[in-house]
Amino acid sequence: MPNKPTLLGTVQDVQGATISVAMDKDTISGLSFIEGRGYRVGQIGSFVRIPIGFLDLYGIVSQVGAGAVPDSMIEAEPHGYRWMRIQLIGEGQRGGNFKRGVSYYPTIGDEAHLLTEQDLALIYGRADAPNYVRVGTLASAESIPALVDVDRLVTRHSAILGATGAGKSTTVAGILSHLSNTDRYPSSRIIIFDLHGEYNSALGERATLFRVNPNLEKGERPLQIPYWALQLDEFLGVTPFRDVGDTERTGLIEKINELKRASLVACPRVGVTSDTLTVDSPVPFSIHRLWYELYQFVCSTHTAQGANQGPTTEAIEADPQGNPLLGSIMGVQAPKYKPITSGGVGRIYLSGASLNIRRQIQALQSLLRDTRYDFLFRPGEWCPSPNQNNLDAQPQKDLDALIKGWVGGDKPITILDLSGVPASILMDLIGVLIRLLFDAMVWGRFLPVGARSRPLLFVLEEAHAYLNPGNKSLASQAAKRVVKEGRKYGLGAMIVSQRPSEIDSTILSQCGTMFAMRLANSNDRAHVTGTVSDNLEGLFSMLPALRTGEAIIVGEAVQLPLRAQIDAPPPNRRPDSHDPKIFDPKAVVGWNKPKANEDYSLLVQKWRSETP
Amino acid sequence: MQRTPVSSSTIAEVGYDSGSMTLEIAFHSGGTYQYFDVPESEFEGLMQASSKGQYFHANIKDNYRYGKL
């Protein structure tokens, strides 16, 4: 029986932060009992303590056995199974606080000790500190909470990475439910970009849900993004004017500027005048009127030629009663023009407009009629509805109400459920949403509602869809801006992905804290291992063997890298991302149930109405 | 746009882009014009016409909107 029960062995070799420990003969057995509790010796990822004087150095076991023999000893001890390789990570005063980095290095003969639960509690255990939030328990010691520093978790960004089925969404939901605990953080604010509509079931009571086809009875709110708040390039990107030539682009800019200026004259808005107005200014204008007037400009016919044309020379057809067929602006019906004639009295000429955008105008017409795009082009109370008698009609509400709805609601979390957004414009819209909030928060940074005084956390789900290297989409640009510049303005990002290898490594390396869950794909693993700054390859070699819901947490928000079992929310508050059951011996589900008489009419009804 | 030289007393070169339905004509007098929303058949008709100037005046000019380059 050794008289020092925690003793593992003695330091024999020091190479920078990597040290080799020869294990004590008595401890090789693998199990050690300290104060009645059993500890496994030499577990990968477990911690060791090396006391030197009044200091304790702390390290993490990265390799055990023959491979861990120091190079210089290979000849002398070819079967050196008694070795352990340890990466030093920090130090602490005896019984005091733990700090990252080491000021002294161990020397030959220093003792390496096992960390008991009491020691671990000293390092990790500050459950009472308000800036630390519990995300789970240590995988190696269930009595010790795994704590992360909220401050650094939010402002220094984080990434949650793991294969499908590793428990990623549940982990996100677990962490967010702690962060949104209004008893501790009454002003926390979090916005989730939920691509698949998973999170409402998990965070329902703490979250306001915005979706394209809301169930208003359940308190869901309509997701509406006023097109007029978009910048020119964003706006053109979601319309058929995406690829027009330079001349046409200039013509469109002039037209939009003209409409915005007219809107500002009809309803002055504080902060912008017609002198400071640009085509990117978030000032309401009507896209329906833009379409109508572009149609008039390009597709009209006239009783006069070229330079003599004007509104009074338009050759509009009339109905049998003699009323001109003017069409309708909000009804997206074009005015009907007389066909051109080749000569004679009352000759009808083509419009002299030299913009080559007739086909794009017609495509815009069908886009404006497409109800799937109503959340963007008819955004409810933010939609100006002009008619022939009131061309400068204004929307009922301004952007303050929109932004307050998104980030200033009663509940700490806002879920933007993007599952109903047409795929062709999804990436652009994510970009627009992030950019809108970013701009609002950056310009309002010194205000009480700005993110400097009330920081905002962006949760970017399925981030590999738009953060892959070389992706030039609006979503990618906007998310990169948050990650690179957000910290100064109080904007944090939490990047969630199952394909870390498809995420730009400059983005991942900006994430101060990494929650790495089970990852089987070797590319993904290499990518994650390559972006962590700590000398922790050994720890990351565990990634394929992590249990579901287990994460290795490294980075700024944790004192020490740690392997944690994340607290799963109760079963009724989990994300709606679990796989459907094919067969369950205990239940009658999936393919295991007797086939019933099926009615597909309801399915078609749901499909047509696009509500699940 | 790629234009092909043609033999005509008024028209020097003709080009056509079927994607944007744009017909581009360079005249001997100096100007180059783009005619918009021109169907491909009109371009083919022009290229096959024995007198390109006549065909242009009869079928293209005044029937399509245009812009000067």
Side-chain angles (χ1 to χ4, degrees):
Chain A
M1 185 71 194
N3 52 3
K4 290 178 181 165
T6 58
L7 181 69
L8 289 171
T10 49
V11 174
Q12 297 293 344
D13 190 75
V14 181
Q15 274 184 351
T18 306
I19 60 176
S20 294
V21 168
M23 288 167 79
D24 200 78
K25 285 196 178 55
D26 295 317
T27 57
I28 302 169
S29 63
L31 202 59
S32 192
F33 285 91
I34 301 148
E35 292 170 2
R37 195 181 279 269
Y39 293 90
R40 291 201 160 272
V41 172
Q43 285 286 296
I44 300 282
S46 67
F47 292 102
V48 295
R49 178 174 62 90
I50 302 168
I52 50 170
F54 294 110
L55 270 183
D56 279 337
L57 299 179
Y58 294 95
I60 191 161
V61 177
S62 64
Q63 202 176 12
V64 178
V69 182
D71 294 342
S72 53
M73 305 281 283
I74 287 177
E75 303 242 322
E77 277 195 61
H79 310 294
Y81 54 86
R82 306 186 300 126
W83 289 87
M84 207 154 63
R85 185 170 294 164
I86 288 160
Q87 310 290 343
L88 286 179
I89 44 180
E91 65 183 16
Q93 301 287 331
R94 185 71 42 82
N97 283 344
F98 172 84
K99 289 199 306 276
R100 296 297 292 274
V102 291
S103 47
Y104 297 99
Y105 286 89
T107 44
I108 312 298
D110 282 344
E111 292 176 347
H113 288 268
L114 195 80
L115 245 68
T116 63
E117 286 209 19
Q118 283 162 326
D119 295 332
L120 283 173
L122 256 182
I123 298 177
Y124 290 120
R126 305 186 193 181
D128 53 331
N131 56 330
Y132 280 85
V133 67
R134 172 198 159 113
V135 295
T137 57
L138 293 194
S140 54
E142 281 172 17
S143 63
I144 298 173
L147 303 173
V148 296
D149 183 339
V150 178
D151 208 35
R152 285 162 187 270
L153 179 71
V154 174
T155 57
R156 302 287 168 88
H157 316 306
S158 60
I160 298 182
L161 310 166
T164 317
K168 216 167 5 62
S169 319
T170 315
T171 298
V172 175
I175 293 172
L176 294 184
S177 69
H178 286 298
L179 290 180
S180 62
N181 181 346
T182 44
D183 294 338
R184 291 189 74 178
Y185 312 112
S187 282
S188 74
R189 68 173 159 181
I190 298 165
I191 188 157
I192 305 176
F193 293 83
D194 187 358
L195 266 62
H196 298 308
E198 288 174 357
Y199 285 95
N200 190 38
S201 56
L203 301 163
E205 58 212 63
R206 295 213 180 144
T208 314
L209 181 77
F210 287 84
R211 62 191 293 173
V212 171
N213 291 307
N215 186 338
L216 297 170
E217 287 161 20
K218 285 192 191 158
E220 299 174 2
R221 298 180 55 184
L223 176 64
Q224 287 164 335
I225 306 164
Y227 57 84
W228 48 264
L230 274 55
Q231 291 180 349
L232 180 75
D233 286 326
E234 297 166 348
F235 178 75
L236 296 183
V238 295
T239 64
F241 299 119
R242 203 172 295 129
D243 306 314
V244 294
D246 290 343
T247 323
E248 284 70 27
R249 191 182 152 91
T250 312
L252 286 168
I253 292 176
E254 264 172 39
K255 190 73 204 163
I256 295 172
N257 257 332
E258 186 187 311
L259 291 179
K260 285 193 173 180
R261 199 166 295 123
S263 158
L264 213 51
V265 171
C267 174
R269 293 182 192 266
V270 181
V272 58
T273 65
S274 48
D275 294 333
T276 60
L277 183 82
T278 72
V279 73
D280 287 334
S281 306
V283 168
F285 73 96
S286 167
I287 190 173
H288 298 87
R289 183 178 168 195
L290 174 72
W291 162 78
Y292 188 87
E293 294 189 355
L294 283 175
Y295 188 93
Q296 276 184 318
F297 184 53
V298 167
C299 303
S300 56
T301 56
H302 291 262
T303 52
Q305 204 173 0
N308 299 325
Q309 294 177 355
T312 52
T313 63
E314 280 189 17
I316 298 176
E317 294 263 33
D319 67 5
Q321 285 76 44
N323 302 313
L325 293 166
L326 287 171
S328 141
I329 296 178
M330 291 312 288
V332 205
Q333 276 170 343
K336 189 149 174 52
Y337 291 102
K338 292 176 181 161
I340 53 166
T341 52
S342 55
V345 186
R347 186 173 167 187
I348 307 289
Y349 298 90
L350 279 170
S351 159
S354 57
L355 290 183
N356 188 10
I357 49 171
R358 188 188 55 85
R359 282 164 309 119
Q360 284 87 346
I361 292 170
Q362 285 173 345
L364 180 62
Q365 178 174 8
S366 50
L367 191 65
L368 292 179
R369 284 184 178 161
D370 188 338
T371 53
R372 286 177 305 165
Y373 291 85
D374 278 359
F375 71 96
L376 182 63
F377 297 128
R378 287 177 195 267
E381 292 162 307
W382 291 274
C383 181
S385 304
N387 56 46
Q388 306 285 357
N389 304 320
N390 182 11
L391 286 173
D392 291 310
Q394 295 294 316
Q396 295 164 28
K397 288 190 175 172
D398 202 355
L399 287 177
D400 58 321
L402 184 79
I403 290 171
K404 185 173 183 189
W406 286 346
V407 296
D410 306 333
K411 296 176 180 172
I413 300 179
T414 298
I415 301 173
L416 301 181
D417 180 344
L418 302 167
S419 56
V421 173
S424 56
I425 59 165
L426 177 61
M427 290 307 135
D428 286 339
L429 268 185
I430 294 176
V432 165
L433 286 166
I434 299 176
R435 202 273 306 162
L436 274 177
L437 287 167
F438 188 91
D439 276 2
M441 291 298 147
V442 166
W443 295 116
R445 59 187 178 273
F446 299 122
L447 303 176
V449 294
R452 273 191 78 87
S453 72
R454 193 183 163 205
L456 174 64
L457 175 65
F458 289 93
V459 180
L460 306 176
E461 254 285 316
E462 305 274 337
H464 52 271
Y466 48 92
L467 285 180
N468 43 333
N471 189 326
K472 297 272 185 288
S473 72
L474 294 175
S476 166
Q477 290 170 22
K480 283 178 183 167
R481 244 175 107 203
V482 173
V483 175
K484 287 178 178 161
E485 303 167 31
R487 188 165 64 89
K488 290 173 264 178
Y489 307 114
L491 300 168
M494 178 180 278
I495 289 169
V496 186
S497 170
Q498 70 254 31
R499 295 305 312 274
S501 61
E502 288 178 15
I503 295 186
D504 198 331
S505 49
T506 59
I507 299 282
L508 270 194
S509 58
Q510 293 272 333
C511 294
T513 308
M514 190 96 72
F515 293 72
M517 313 202 57
R518 185 170 63 233
L519 276 174
N521 183 298
S522 59
N523 284 343
D524 288 337
R525 246 170 25 232
H527 203 71
V528 173
T529 313
T531 46
V532 292
S533 48
D534 289 287
N535 184 15
L536 294 167
E537 282 85 357
L539 198 57
F540 276 84
S541 62
M542 294 196 299
L543 284 179
L546 289 179
R547 288 174 289 174
T548 299
E550 219 173 61
I552 293 175
I553 311 176
V554 295
E556 305 195 26
V558 286
Q559 289 278 347
L560 275 177
L562 55 89
R563 192 171 119 216
Q565 181 74 40
I566 305 292
D567 288 336
N572 61 344
R573 291 207 5 230
R574 287 195 187 162
D576 192 9
S577 61
H578 55 80
D579 295 334
K581 279 260 185 273
I582 303 294
F583 180 83
D584 186 348
K586 296 193 203 94
V588 182
V589 289
W591 289 0
N592 195 19
K593 63 176 182 233
K595 198 164 157 295
N597 214 354
E598 291 172 324
D599 179 7
Y600 283 81
S601 64
L602 199 59
L603 175 146
V604 174
Q605 188 188 322
K606 295 260 180 202
W607 179 14
R608 287 198 175 121
S609 65
E610 297 184 333
T611 44
Chain B
M1 194 186 296
Q2 188 103 39
R3 291 195 303 265
T4 345
V6 293
S7 64
S8 159
S9 56
T10 47
I11 297 175
E13 290 171 343
V14 178
Y16 183 72
D17 176 48
S18 55
S20 61
M21 293 174 69
T22 307
L23 179 72
E24 194 170 295
I25 298 180
F27 293 93
H28 282 305
S29 55
T32 302
Y33 290 82
Q34 282 192 339
Y35 291 83
F36 308 140
D37 309 313
V38 181
E40 192 154 5
S41 58
E42 203 78 274
F43 165 64
E44 283 161 6
L46 176 69
M47 295 307 277
Q48 281 156 16
S50 52
S51 167
K52 302 208 164 31
Q54 265 179 21
Y55 188 93
F56 169 75
H57 280 286
N59 297 298
I60 296 171
K61 190 180 177 230
D62 292 339
N63 282 334
Y64 299 100
R65 286 188 309 113
Y66 62 90
K68 189 171 190 298
L69 277 190

